[in-house]
Amino acid sequence: MDLLKNTPLVEEHCRRNALMAPFGGWNMPIQYEGIIAEHRWCREKAALFDICHMGEFLFTGDIVAGGLEDVFTFSVASIPVGRSRYGFLLNEQGGIIDDLIVFRLAEDEAMVVVNAATIDNDFAVINSRLTGGTFRNISAETGKLDLQGPLAREVLTTLVPGIAGLPYFKFVKTTLLGAEAMVSRTGYTGELGYEVFLPAGKTVELWSRLLADERVKPAGLGARDVLRLEVGYSLYGSDIDETTTPLEAGLAAFVNFDKPFVGRDALLRQQTEGIRRAKVAFQVGSRRSPRHHYEICFEGRAVGTVTSGVFSPMLGCGIGIGFVTPEVAVVGAPLTIRHDRVSMDATAVELPFYRGGSLRA
C-alpha cells in the first residue's frame, strides 16, 4: 500500500487534535472542533485551510509557440498578466482529466494549479502536449494556504497591505514573511477569500501568524466540502471525472470553442447529438443528508445517481447534486433519493443553493 503524503503542517494539525484521514493520497485534516462549527466560522469570520496538497506547475516560454495555448479549454494567451482563469484539461472523448486554474504570471510565464490526486497524471498529459518552453512540477516546493470568510481581507491586510483592492480572480506577487509569495482573490467556499502561495518552508510560520489572530480559526476538508457544495462547485473525483464532459456537468461556460484543444471535436459532436445525462441540483425536504451513490428516482423509476450530498447548515436541509437523464434535470422536478431503506423526497433546484456569501464583497 502506498504511504500517505504529509503537508508541512501535519504536526500543527496533530497538535490541534485534528481528525486526520486519507484524501487523494494525502494525510489531511477533516475537522478540528467540528464540521458545523468550522463551516459557520467561515461564513461569519475567517477560516484557514491547509491546501498544500494541491499541485502547482510552472511553464516558462512562448505561450503559443510552446503549445500551452492549445492544452486547455480556455485561452491562456488571452489571460492578462496578473489574472487567472478556471477551466479544464480534457481527454480525446471530452472527458475531464482535471479542472484547474491557470495564473498568468508574465507574458512568458504561467502557473497551473491542479487537484492533489491528479498531479502526476496532469503533469504527464500537459507535458506531452507541449511543443516548447520549460515545464516544471513545483508542487513539493510550494505551500498553499486559503483564508476564506467575510473578515479575510481585514485579517490578511495586516500582513499584505496591498491586497485591499484586489478584484476577484486577480493576484499580486508580494513579499511575505521575508519570502516571495503570491496572493490571489480566489477560493472554493463562496466567501470573500484569498489563496496564498509561498515557499513550503514558510507555511508553518504563516499558519501560526494567521491563527494568532482571534478572528481566524482552522477548518478541515469536511467543512470545505459543505461550503463548496452550498455554492454549487463541483468536486473532482466525485462530481466530475474522465467519464464526464463539461457539457454534461453544466460547465460549458468554461469551454472556448473558438480555439483548438483536445476533446473539442467530441464536445462539438455532443452539442449536435445531445447529452445522455445532465447535472441536477436538488434540495431534500428534511435534514437528512443524501450521500454519494444514492439513487435518484423520478415517478418511481431510477433516473440517475447522487455524486455529492450534505446537510446544509445555511439552508437547514439536505442538499445534493448528481446526474440524471436530461429530461428530468428541470428546476421544480419532484425527485426521490433512495438507498436501501432510506427514501427522501427532494425537489430539483437552481444553483447555487446558498447565495448570501461575501464572495463579491
Side-chain angles (χ1 to χ4, degrees), residues 280-284 295-299 303 324 328-330 332-338 343-349:
V280 66
F282 60 85
Q283 193 166 319
V284 174
E295 200 171 52
I296 302 176
C297 300
F298 176 73
E299 295 182 338
V303 293
V324 295
V328 178
V330 177
L335 306 171
T336 304
I337 310 302
R338 289 197 314 215
S343 180
M344 296 175 246
D345 291 333
T347 304
V349 298

mmCIF file with all atom_site columns, all heavy atoms in Angstrom, residues 280-284 295-299 303 324 328-330 332-338 343-349:
data_model
loop_
_atom_site.group_PDB
_atom_site.id
_atom_site.type_symbol
_atom_site.label_atom_id
_atom_site.label_alt_id
_atom_site.label_comp_id
_atom_site.label_asym_id
_atom_site.label_entity_id
_atom_site.label_seq_id
_atom_site.pdbx_PDB_ins_code
_atom_site.Cartn_x
_atom_site.Cartn_y
_atom_site.Cartn_z
_atom_site.occupancy
_atom_site.B_iso_or_equiv
_atom_site.pdbx_formal_charge
_atom_site.auth_seq_id
_atom_site.auth_comp_id
_atom_site.auth_asym_id
_atom_site.auth_atom_id
_atom_site.pdbx_PDB_model_num
ATOM 1   N N   . VAL A 1 280 ? -27.948 17.636 -12.093 1.00 0.00 ? 280 VAL A N   1
ATOM 2   C CA  . VAL A 1 280 ? -29.133 18.164 -11.431 1.00 0.00 ? 280 VAL A CA  1
ATOM 3   C C   . VAL A 1 280 ? -28.766 18.515 -9.987  1.00 0.00 ? 280 VAL A C   1
ATOM 4   O O   . VAL A 1 280 ? -27.983 17.813 -9.349  1.00 0.00 ? 280 VAL A O   1
ATOM 5   C CB  . VAL A 1 280 ? -30.291 17.141 -11.465 1.00 0.00 ? 280 VAL A CB  1
ATOM 6   C CG1 . VAL A 1 280 ? -29.960 15.901 -10.635 1.00 0.00 ? 280 VAL A CG1 1
ATOM 7   C CG2 . VAL A 1 280 ? -31.582 17.770 -10.992 1.00 0.00 ? 280 VAL A CG2 1
ATOM 8   N N   . ALA A 1 281 ? -29.289 19.638 -9.520  1.00 0.00 ? 281 ALA A N   1
ATOM 9   C CA  . ALA A 1 281 ? -29.132 20.024 -8.111  1.00 0.00 ? 281 ALA A CA  1
ATOM 10  C C   . ALA A 1 281 ? -30.476 19.842 -7.433  1.00 0.00 ? 281 ALA A C   1
ATOM 11  O O   . ALA A 1 281 ? -31.518 20.133 -8.030  1.00 0.00 ? 281 ALA A O   1
ATOM 12  C CB  . ALA A 1 281 ? -28.680 21.473 -8.007  1.00 0.00 ? 281 ALA A CB  1
ATOM 13  N N   . PHE A 1 282 ? -30.476 19.352 -6.209  1.00 0.00 ? 282 PHE A N   1
ATOM 14  C CA  . PHE A 1 282 ? -31.749 19.099 -5.537  1.00 0.00 ? 282 PHE A CA  1
ATOM 15  C C   . PHE A 1 282 ? -31.656 19.429 -4.053  1.00 0.00 ? 282 PHE A C   1
ATOM 16  O O   . PHE A 1 282 ? -30.575 19.406 -3.456  1.00 0.00 ? 282 PHE A O   1
ATOM 17  C CB  . PHE A 1 282 ? -32.187 17.641 -5.734  1.00 0.00 ? 282 PHE A CB  1
ATOM 18  C CG  . PHE A 1 282 ? -31.210 16.635 -5.189  1.00 0.00 ? 282 PHE A CG  1
ATOM 19  C CD1 . PHE A 1 282 ? -31.230 16.240 -3.859  1.00 0.00 ? 282 PHE A CD1 1
ATOM 20  C CD2 . PHE A 1 282 ? -30.243 16.095 -6.028  1.00 0.00 ? 282 PHE A CD2 1
ATOM 21  C CE1 . PHE A 1 282 ? -30.320 15.319 -3.361  1.00 0.00 ? 282 PHE A CE1 1
ATOM 22  C CE2 . PHE A 1 282 ? -29.308 15.176 -5.538  1.00 0.00 ? 282 PHE A CE2 1
ATOM 23  C CZ  . PHE A 1 282 ? -29.355 14.790 -4.204  1.00 0.00 ? 282 PHE A CZ  1
ATOM 24  N N   . GLN A 1 283 ? -32.806 19.744 -3.508  1.00 0.00 ? 283 GLN A N   1
ATOM 25  C CA  . GLN A 1 283 ? -32.936 20.072 -2.091  1.00 0.00 ? 283 GLN A CA  1
ATOM 26  C C   . GLN A 1 283 ? -33.887 19.059 -1.475  1.00 0.00 ? 283 GLN A C   1
ATOM 27  O O   . GLN A 1 283 ? -34.982 18.817 -2.001  1.00 0.00 ? 283 GLN A O   1
ATOM 28  C CB  . GLN A 1 283 ? -33.487 21.494 -1.956  1.00 0.00 ? 283 GLN A CB  1
ATOM 29  C CG  . GLN A 1 283 ? -33.380 22.070 -0.580  1.00 0.00 ? 283 GLN A CG  1
ATOM 30  C CD  . GLN A 1 283 ? -33.620 23.580 -0.613  1.00 0.00 ? 283 GLN A CD  1
ATOM 31  O OE1 . GLN A 1 283 ? -33.157 24.282 -1.506  1.00 0.00 ? 283 GLN A OE1 1
ATOM 32  N NE2 . GLN A 1 283 ? -34.352 24.079 0.358   1.00 0.00 ? 283 GLN A NE2 1
ATOM 33  N N   . VAL A 1 284 ? -33.470 18.471 -0.365  1.00 0.00 ? 284 VAL A N   1
ATOM 34  C CA  . VAL A 1 284 ? -34.275 17.457 0.312   1.00 0.00 ? 284 VAL A CA  1
ATOM 35  C C   . VAL A 1 284 ? -35.270 18.134 1.252   1.00 0.00 ? 284 VAL A C   1
ATOM 36  O O   . VAL A 1 284 ? -34.969 19.180 1.843   1.00 0.00 ? 284 VAL A O   1
ATOM 37  C CB  . VAL A 1 284 ? -33.338 16.504 1.096   1.00 0.00 ? 284 VAL A CB  1
ATOM 38  C CG1 . VAL A 1 284 ? -34.135 15.517 1.936   1.00 0.00 ? 284 VAL A CG1 1
ATOM 39  C CG2 . VAL A 1 284 ? -32.416 15.772 0.137   1.00 0.00 ? 284 VAL A CG2 1
ATOM 40  N N   . GLU A 1 295 ? -29.418 6.575  -5.114  1.00 0.00 ? 295 GLU A N   1
ATOM 41  C CA  . GLU A 1 295 ? -30.182 6.567  -6.365  1.00 0.00 ? 295 GLU A CA  1
ATOM 42  C C   . GLU A 1 295 ? -31.103 7.784  -6.448  1.00 0.00 ? 295 GLU A C   1
ATOM 43  O O   . GLU A 1 295 ? -31.699 8.185  -5.449  1.00 0.00 ? 295 GLU A O   1
ATOM 44  C CB  . GLU A 1 295 ? -31.026 5.286  -6.387  1.00 0.00 ? 295 GLU A CB  1
ATOM 45  C CG  . GLU A 1 295 ? -31.514 4.837  -7.712  1.00 0.00 ? 295 GLU A CG  1
ATOM 46  C CD  . GLU A 1 295 ? -32.151 3.449  -7.601  1.00 0.00 ? 295 GLU A CD  1
ATOM 47  O OE1 . GLU A 1 295 ? -33.036 3.273  -6.746  1.00 0.00 ? 295 GLU A OE1 1
ATOM 48  O OE2 . GLU A 1 295 ? -31.756 2.557  -8.382  1.00 0.00 ? 295 GLU A OE2 1
ATOM 49  N N   . ILE A 1 296 ? -31.210 8.377  -7.629  1.00 0.00 ? 296 ILE A N   1
ATOM 50  C CA  . ILE A 1 296 ? -32.173 9.465  -7.861  1.00 0.00 ? 296 ILE A CA  1
ATOM 51  C C   . ILE A 1 296 ? -33.328 8.892  -8.682  1.00 0.00 ? 296 ILE A C   1
ATOM 52  O O   . ILE A 1 296 ? -33.112 8.279  -9.747  1.00 0.00 ? 296 ILE A O   1
ATOM 53  C CB  . ILE A 1 296 ? -31.523 10.637 -8.629  1.00 0.00 ? 296 ILE A CB  1
ATOM 54  C CG1 . ILE A 1 296 ? -30.312 11.165 -7.859  1.00 0.00 ? 296 ILE A CG1 1
ATOM 55  C CG2 . ILE A 1 296 ? -32.546 11.753 -8.846  1.00 0.00 ? 296 ILE A CG2 1
ATOM 56  C CD1 . ILE A 1 296 ? -29.549 12.262 -8.607  1.00 0.00 ? 296 ILE A CD1 1
ATOM 57  N N   . CYS A 1 297 ? -34.556 9.065  -8.175  1.00 0.00 ? 297 CYS A N   1
ATOM 58  C CA  . CYS A 1 297 ? -35.731 8.493  -8.848  1.00 0.00 ? 297 CYS A CA  1
ATOM 59  C C   . CYS A 1 297 ? -36.714 9.592  -9.234  1.00 0.00 ? 297 CYS A C   1
ATOM 60  O O   . CYS A 1 297 ? -36.821 10.625 -8.555  1.00 0.00 ? 297 CYS A O   1
ATOM 61  C CB  . CYS A 1 297 ? -36.425 7.484  -7.927  1.00 0.00 ? 297 CYS A CB  1
ATOM 62  S SG  . CYS A 1 297 ? -35.359 6.118  -7.441  1.00 0.00 ? 297 CYS A SG  1
ATOM 63  N N   . PHE A 1 298 ? -37.442 9.351  -10.305 1.00 0.00 ? 298 PHE A N   1
ATOM 64  C CA  . PHE A 1 298 ? -38.486 10.268 -10.781 1.00 0.00 ? 298 PHE A CA  1
ATOM 65  C C   . PHE A 1 298 ? -39.677 9.422  -11.200 1.00 0.00 ? 298 PHE A C   1
ATOM 66  O O   . PHE A 1 298 ? -39.536 8.490  -11.995 1.00 0.00 ? 298 PHE A O   1
ATOM 67  C CB  . PHE A 1 298 ? -37.960 11.079 -11.963 1.00 0.00 ? 298 PHE A CB  1
ATOM 68  C CG  . PHE A 1 298 ? -38.981 11.992 -12.587 1.00 0.00 ? 298 PHE A CG  1
ATOM 69  C CD1 . PHE A 1 298 ? -39.393 13.150 -11.932 1.00 0.00 ? 298 PHE A CD1 1
ATOM 70  C CD2 . PHE A 1 298 ? -39.545 11.692 -13.820 1.00 0.00 ? 298 PHE A CD2 1
ATOM 71  C CE1 . PHE A 1 298 ? -40.335 13.989 -12.513 1.00 0.00 ? 298 PHE A CE1 1
ATOM 72  C CE2 . PHE A 1 298 ? -40.479 12.521 -14.412 1.00 0.00 ? 298 PHE A CE2 1
ATOM 73  C CZ  . PHE A 1 298 ? -40.885 13.679 -13.751 1.00 0.00 ? 298 PHE A CZ  1
ATOM 74  N N   . GLU A 1 299 ? -40.820 9.719  -10.637 1.00 0.00 ? 299 GLU A N   1
ATOM 75  C CA  . GLU A 1 299 ? -42.053 8.972  -10.902 1.00 0.00 ? 299 GLU A CA  1
ATOM 76  C C   . GLU A 1 299 ? -41.833 7.475  -10.727 1.00 0.00 ? 299 GLU A C   1
ATOM 77  O O   . GLU A 1 299 ? -42.286 6.656  -11.547 1.00 0.00 ? 299 GLU A O   1
ATOM 78  C CB  . GLU A 1 299 ? -42.568 9.294  -12.305 1.00 0.00 ? 299 GLU A CB  1
ATOM 79  C CG  . GLU A 1 299 ? -42.995 10.760 -12.444 1.00 0.00 ? 299 GLU A CG  1
ATOM 80  C CD  . GLU A 1 299 ? -43.563 11.082 -13.816 1.00 0.00 ? 299 GLU A CD  1
ATOM 81  O OE1 . GLU A 1 299 ? -43.268 10.335 -14.776 1.00 0.00 ? 299 GLU A OE1 1
ATOM 82  O OE2 . GLU A 1 299 ? -44.294 12.084 -13.903 1.00 0.00 ? 299 GLU A OE2 1
ATOM 83  N N   . VAL A 1 303 ? -33.491 7.263  -12.283 1.00 0.00 ? 303 VAL A N   1
ATOM 84  C CA  . VAL A 1 303 ? -33.075 8.077  -13.433 1.00 0.00 ? 303 VAL A CA  1
ATOM 85  C C   . VAL A 1 303 ? -31.651 8.603  -13.286 1.00 0.00 ? 303 VAL A C   1
ATOM 86  O O   . VAL A 1 303 ? -31.161 9.290  -14.181 1.00 0.00 ? 303 VAL A O   1
ATOM 87  C CB  . VAL A 1 303 ? -34.032 9.275  -13.634 1.00 0.00 ? 303 VAL A CB  1
ATOM 88  C CG1 . VAL A 1 303 ? -35.409 8.789  -14.065 1.00 0.00 ? 303 VAL A CG1 1
ATOM 89  C CG2 . VAL A 1 303 ? -34.125 10.135 -12.375 1.00 0.00 ? 303 VAL A CG2 1
ATOM 90  N N   . VAL A 1 324 ? -28.674 12.829 -13.985 1.00 0.00 ? 324 VAL A N   1
ATOM 91  C CA  . VAL A 1 324 ? -29.921 12.148 -14.331 1.00 0.00 ? 324 VAL A CA  1
ATOM 92  C C   . VAL A 1 324 ? -30.102 12.193 -15.840 1.00 0.00 ? 324 VAL A C   1
ATOM 93  O O   . VAL A 1 324 ? -29.360 12.882 -16.562 1.00 0.00 ? 324 VAL A O   1
ATOM 94  C CB  . VAL A 1 324 ? -31.130 12.838 -13.646 1.00 0.00 ? 324 VAL A CB  1
ATOM 95  C CG1 . VAL A 1 324 ? -31.039 12.704 -12.134 1.00 0.00 ? 324 VAL A CG1 1
ATOM 96  C CG2 . VAL A 1 324 ? -31.208 14.315 -14.043 1.00 0.00 ? 324 VAL A CG2 1
ATOM 97  N N   . VAL A 1 328 ? -35.192 14.989 -17.020 1.00 0.00 ? 328 VAL A N   1
ATOM 98  C CA  . VAL A 1 328 ? -35.555 15.126 -15.608 1.00 0.00 ? 328 VAL A CA  1
ATOM 99  C C   . VAL A 1 328 ? -34.838 16.314 -14.949 1.00 0.00 ? 328 VAL A C   1
ATOM 100 O O   . VAL A 1 328 ? -35.263 16.806 -13.906 1.00 0.00 ? 328 VAL A O   1
ATOM 101 C CB  . VAL A 1 328 ? -35.222 13.824 -14.849 1.00 0.00 ? 328 VAL A CB  1
ATOM 102 C CG1 . VAL A 1 328 ? -35.538 13.942 -13.370 1.00 0.00 ? 328 VAL A CG1 1
ATOM 103 C CG2 . VAL A 1 328 ? -36.005 12.663 -15.454 1.00 0.00 ? 328 VAL A CG2 1
ATOM 104 N N   . ALA A 1 329 ? -33.761 16.784 -15.568 1.00 0.00 ? 329 ALA A N   1
ATOM 105 C CA  . ALA A 1 329 ? -32.963 17.870 -14.986 1.00 0.00 ? 329 ALA A CA  1
ATOM 106 C C   . ALA A 1 329 ? -33.651 19.201 -15.203 1.00 0.00 ? 329 ALA A C   1
ATOM 107 O O   . ALA A 1 329 ? -33.132 20.095 -15.885 1.00 0.00 ? 329 ALA A O   1
ATOM 108 C CB  . ALA A 1 329 ? -31.560 17.862 -15.576 1.00 0.00 ? 329 ALA A CB  1
ATOM 109 N N   . VAL A 1 330 ? -34.812 19.352 -14.636 1.00 0.00 ? 330 VAL A N   1
ATOM 110 C CA  . VAL A 1 330 ? -35.626 20.554 -14.803 1.00 0.00 ? 330 VAL A CA  1
ATOM 111 C C   . VAL A 1 330 ? -35.951 21.110 -13.416 1.00 0.00 ? 330 VAL A C   1
ATOM 112 O O   . VAL A 1 330 ? -36.400 20.361 -12.531 1.00 0.00 ? 330 VAL A O   1
ATOM 113 C CB  . VAL A 1 330 ? -36.940 20.233 -15.542 1.00 0.00 ? 330 VAL A CB  1
ATOM 114 C CG1 . VAL A 1 330 ? -37.805 21.486 -15.650 1.00 0.00 ? 330 VAL A CG1 1
ATOM 115 C CG2 . VAL A 1 330 ? -36.648 19.651 -16.913 1.00 0.00 ? 330 VAL A CG2 1
ATOM 116 N N   . GLY A 1 332 ? -37.659 22.342 -10.347 1.00 0.00 ? 332 GLY A N   1
ATOM 117 C CA  . GLY A 1 332 ? -39.017 22.083 -9.864  1.00 0.00 ? 332 GLY A CA  1
ATOM 118 C C   . GLY A 1 332 ? -39.437 20.633 -9.974  1.00 0.00 ? 332 GLY A C   1
ATOM 119 O O   . GLY A 1 332 ? -40.469 20.247 -9.411  1.00 0.00 ? 332 GLY A O   1
ATOM 120 N N   . ALA A 1 333 ? -38.643 19.805 -10.680 1.00 0.00 ? 333 ALA A N   1
ATOM 121 C CA  . ALA A 1 333 ? -38.999 18.395 -10.833 1.00 0.00 ? 333 ALA A CA  1
ATOM 122 C C   . ALA A 1 333 ? -39.006 17.697 -9.468  1.00 0.00 ? 333 ALA A C   1
ATOM 123 O O   . ALA A 1 333 ? -38.043 17.818 -8.709  1.00 0.00 ? 333 ALA A O   1
ATOM 124 C CB  . ALA A 1 333 ? -38.016 17.704 -11.774 1.00 0.00 ? 333 ALA A CB  1
ATOM 125 N N   . PRO A 1 334 ? -40.070 16.948 -9.136  1.00 0.00 ? 334 PRO A N   1
ATOM 126 C CA  . PRO A 1 334 ? -40.087 16.209 -7.875  1.00 0.00 ? 334 PRO A CA  1
ATOM 127 C C   . PRO A 1 334 ? -39.249 14.938 -7.998  1.00 0.00 ? 334 PRO A C   1
ATOM 128 O O   . PRO A 1 334 ? -39.413 14.168 -8.947  1.00 0.00 ? 334 PRO A O   1
ATOM 129 C CB  . PRO A 1 334 ? -41.577 15.882 -7.697  1.00 0.00 ? 334 PRO A CB  1
ATOM 130 C CG  . PRO A 1 334 ? -42.117 15.835 -9.087  1.00 0.00 ? 334 PRO A CG  1
ATOM 131 C CD  . PRO A 1 334 ? -41.325 16.818 -9.896  1.00 0.00 ? 334 PRO A CD  1
ATOM 132 N N   . LEU A 1 335 ? -38.334 14.736 -7.069  1.00 0.00 ? 335 LEU A N   1
ATOM 133 C CA  . LEU A 1 335 ? -37.420 13.594 -7.093  1.00 0.00 ? 335 LEU A CA  1
ATOM 134 C C   . LEU A 1 335 ? -37.516 12.817 -5.793  1.00 0.00 ? 335 LEU A C   1
ATOM 135 O O   . LEU A 1 335 ? -37.985 13.336 -4.773  1.00 0.00 ? 335 LEU A O   1
ATOM 136 C CB  . LEU A 1 335 ? -35.975 14.069 -7.296  1.00 0.00 ? 335 LEU A CB  1
ATOM 137 C CG  . LEU A 1 335 ? -35.703 14.954 -8.511  1.00 0.00 ? 335 LEU A CG  1
ATOM 138 C CD1 . LEU A 1 335 ? -34.289 15.511 -8.450  1.00 0.00 ? 335 LEU A CD1 1
ATOM 139 C CD2 . LEU A 1 335 ? -35.905 14.180 -9.811  1.00 0.00 ? 335 LEU A CD2 1
ATOM 140 N N   . THR A 1 336 ? -37.071 11.584 -5.818  1.00 0.00 ? 336 THR A N   1
ATOM 141 C CA  . THR A 1 336 ? -36.919 10.783 -4.602  1.00 0.00 ? 336 THR A CA  1
ATOM 142 C C   . THR A 1 336 ? -35.483 10.276 -4.562  1.00 0.00 ? 336 THR A C   1
ATOM 143 O O   . THR A 1 336 ? -34.975 9.767  -5.575  1.00 0.00 ? 336 THR A O   1
ATOM 144 C CB  . THR A 1 336 ? -37.884 9.586  -4.594  1.00 0.00 ? 336 THR A CB  1
ATOM 145 O OG1 . THR A 1 336 ? -39.222 10.060 -4.752  1.00 0.00 ? 336 THR A OG1 1
ATOM 146 C CG2 . THR A 1 336 ? -37.771 8.830  -3.282  1.00 0.00 ? 336 THR A CG2 1
ATOM 147 N N   . ILE A 1 337 ? -34.848 10.454 -3.425  1.00 0.00 ? 337 ILE A N   1
ATOM 148 C CA  . ILE A 1 337 ? -33.475 9.971  -3.246  1.00 0.00 ? 337 ILE A CA  1
ATOM 149 C C   . ILE A 1 337 ? -33.554 8.684  -2.433  1.00 0.00 ? 337 ILE A C   1
ATOM 150 O O   . ILE A 1 337 ? -34.101 8.691  -1.321  1.00 0.00 ? 337 ILE A O   1
ATOM 151 C CB  . ILE A 1 337 ? -32.604 11.011 -2.510  1.00 0.00 ? 337 ILE A CB  1
ATOM 152 C CG1 . ILE A 1 337 ? -32.740 12.395 -3.165  1.00 0.00 ? 337 ILE A CG1 1
ATOM 153 C CG2 . ILE A 1 337 ? -31.155 10.557 -2.475  1.00 0.00 ? 337 ILE A CG2 1
ATOM 154 C CD1 . ILE A 1 337 ? -32.381 12.455 -4.628  1.00 0.00 ? 337 ILE A CD1 1
ATOM 155 N N   . ARG A 1 338 ? -33.017 7.595  -2.956  1.00 0.00 ? 338 ARG A N   1
ATOM 156 C CA  . ARG A 1 338 ? -33.186 6.290  -2.304  1.00 0.00 ? 338 ARG A CA  1
ATOM 157 C C   . ARG A 1 338 ? -31.856 5.562  -2.129  1.00 0.00 ? 338 ARG A C   1
ATOM 158 O O   . ARG A 1 338 ? -30.956 5.666  -2.954  1.00 0.00 ? 338 ARG A O   1
ATOM 159 C CB  . ARG A 1 338 ? -34.109 5.409  -3.151  1.00 0.00 ? 338 ARG A CB  1
ATOM 160 C CG  . ARG A 1 338 ? -35.550 5.834  -3.142  1.00 0.00 ? 338 ARG A CG  1
ATOM 161 C CD  . ARG A 1 338 ? -36.470 4.737  -3.633  1.00 0.00 ? 338 ARG A CD  1
ATOM 162 N NE  . ARG A 1 338 ? -36.025 4.075  -4.852  1.00 0.00 ? 338 ARG A NE  1
ATOM 163 C CZ  . ARG A 1 338 ? -36.865 3.630  -5.803  1.00 0.00 ? 338 ARG A CZ  1
ATOM 164 N NH1 . ARG A 1 338 ? -38.174 3.807  -5.662  1.00 0.00 ? 338 ARG A NH1 1
ATOM 165 N NH2 . ARG A 1 338 ? -36.411 3.030  -6.867  1.00 0.00 ? 338 ARG A NH2 1
ATOM 166 N N   . SER A 1 343 ? -35.378 6.702  2.091   1.00 0.00 ? 343 SER A N   1
ATOM 167 C CA  . SER A 1 343 ? -36.101 7.356  0.999   1.00 0.00 ? 343 SER A CA  1
ATOM 168 C C   . SER A 1 343 ? -36.342 8.809  1.388   1.00 0.00 ? 343 SER A C   1
ATOM 169 O O   . SER A 1 343 ? -36.865 9.102  2.469   1.00 0.00 ? 343 SER A O   1
ATOM 170 C CB  . SER A 1 343 ? -37.431 6.646  0.746   1.00 0.00 ? 343 SER A CB  1
ATOM 171 O OG  . SER A 1 343 ? -38.132 7.281  -0.307  1.00 0.00 ? 343 SER A OG  1
ATOM 172 N N   . MET A 1 344 ? -35.945 9.745  0.531   1.00 0.00 ? 344 MET A N   1
ATOM 173 C CA  . MET A 1 344 ? -36.075 11.172 0.824   1.00 0.00 ? 344 MET A CA  1
ATOM 174 C C   . MET A 1 344 ? -36.780 11.871 -0.330  1.00 0.00 ? 344 MET A C   1
ATOM 175 O O   . MET A 1 344 ? -36.375 11.715 -1.489  1.00 0.00 ? 344 MET A O   1
ATOM 176 C CB  . MET A 1 344 ? -34.688 11.822 0.997   1.00 0.00 ? 344 MET A CB  1
ATOM 177 C CG  . MET A 1 344 ? -33.885 11.324 2.167   1.00 0.00 ? 344 MET A CG  1
ATOM 178 S SD  . MET A 1 344 ? -32.218 12.073 2.137   1.00 0.00 ? 344 MET A SD  1
ATOM 179 C CE  . MET A 1 344 ? -31.227 10.613 1.847   1.00 0.00 ? 344 MET A CE  1
ATOM 180 N N   . ASP A 1 345 ? -37.795 12.653 -0.018  1.00 0.00 ? 345 ASP A N   1
ATOM 181 C CA  . ASP A 1 345 ? -38.426 13.491 -1.036  1.00 0.00 ? 345 ASP A CA  1
ATOM 182 C C   . ASP A 1 345 ? -37.525 14.691 -1.313  1.00 0.00 ? 345 ASP A C   1
ATOM 183 O O   . ASP A 1 345 ? -36.972 15.302 -0.388  1.00 0.00 ? 345 ASP A O   1
ATOM 184 C CB  . ASP A 1 345 ? -39.795 13.973 -0.552  1.00 0.00 ? 345 ASP A CB  1
ATOM 185 C CG  . ASP A 1 345 ? -40.798 12.830 -0.463  1.00 0.00 ? 345 ASP A CG  1
ATOM 186 O OD1 . ASP A 1 345 ? -40.637 11.848 -1.209  1.00 0.00 ? 345 ASP A OD1 1
ATOM 187 O OD2 . ASP A 1 345 ? -41.718 12.918 0.371   1.00 0.00 ? 345 ASP A OD2 1
ATOM 188 N N   . ALA A 1 346 ? -37.369 15.040 -2.569  1.00 0.00 ? 346 ALA A N   1
ATOM 189 C CA  . ALA A 1 346 ? -36.495 16.148 -2.941  1.00 0.00 ? 346 ALA A CA  1
ATOM 190 C C   . ALA A 1 346 ? -37.085 16.894 -4.137  1.00 0.00 ? 346 ALA A C   1
ATOM 191 O O   . ALA A 1 346 ? -37.972 16.381 -4.827  1.00 0.00 ? 346 ALA A O   1
ATOM 192 C CB  . ALA A 1 346 ? -35.096 15.628 -3.292  1.00 0.00 ? 346 ALA A CB  1
ATOM 193 N N   . THR A 1 347 ? -36.575 18.093 -4.360  1.00 0.00 ? 347 THR A N   1
ATOM 194 C CA  . THR A 1 347 ? -37.012 18.900 -5.493  1.00 0.00 ? 347 THR A CA  1
ATOM 195 C C   . THR A 1 347 ? -35.793 19.434 -6.233  1.00 0.00 ? 347 THR A C   1
ATOM 196 O O   . THR A 1 347 ? -34.842 19.922 -5.598  1.00 0.00 ? 347 THR A O   1
ATOM 197 C CB  . THR A 1 347 ? -37.861 20.096 -5.006  1.00 0.00 ? 347 THR A CB  1
ATOM 198 O OG1 . THR A 1 347 ? -38.961 19.605 -4.237  1.00 0.00 ? 347 THR A OG1 1
ATOM 199 C CG2 . THR A 1 347 ? -38.393 20.895 -6.181  1.00 0.00 ? 347 THR A CG2 1
ATOM 200 N N   . ALA A 1 348 ? -35.802 19.354 -7.546  1.00 0.00 ? 348 ALA A N   1
ATOM 201 C CA  . ALA A 1 348 ? -34.701 19.910 -8.346  1.00 0.00 ? 348 ALA A CA  1
ATOM 202 C C   . ALA A 1 348 ? -34.725 21.438 -8.240  1.00 0.00 ? 348 ALA A C   1
ATOM 203 O O   . ALA A 1 348 ? -35.787 22.056 -8.359  1.00 0.00 ? 348 ALA A O   1
ATOM 204 C CB  . ALA A 1 348 ? -34.833 19.478 -9.802  1.00 0.00 ? 348 ALA A CB  1
ATOM 205 N N   . VAL A 1 349 ? -33.550 22.029 -8.005  1.00 0.00 ? 349 VAL A N   1
ATOM 206 C CA  . VAL A 1 349 ? -33.460 23.475 -7.796  1.00 0.00 ? 349 VAL A CA  1
ATOM 207 C C   . VAL A 1 349 ? -32.323 24.055 -8.624  1.00 0.00 ? 349 VAL A C   1
ATOM 208 O O   . VAL A 1 349 ? -31.496 23.335 -9.179  1.00 0.00 ? 349 VAL A O   1
ATOM 209 C CB  . VAL A 1 349 ? -33.208 23.806 -6.297  1.00 0.00 ? 349 VAL A CB  1
ATOM 210 C CG1 . VAL A 1 349 ? -34.359 23.311 -5.439  1.00 0.00 ? 349 VAL A CG1 1
ATOM 211 C CG2 . VAL A 1 349 ? -31.880 23.207 -5.830  1.00 0.00 ? 349 VAL A CG2 1
#
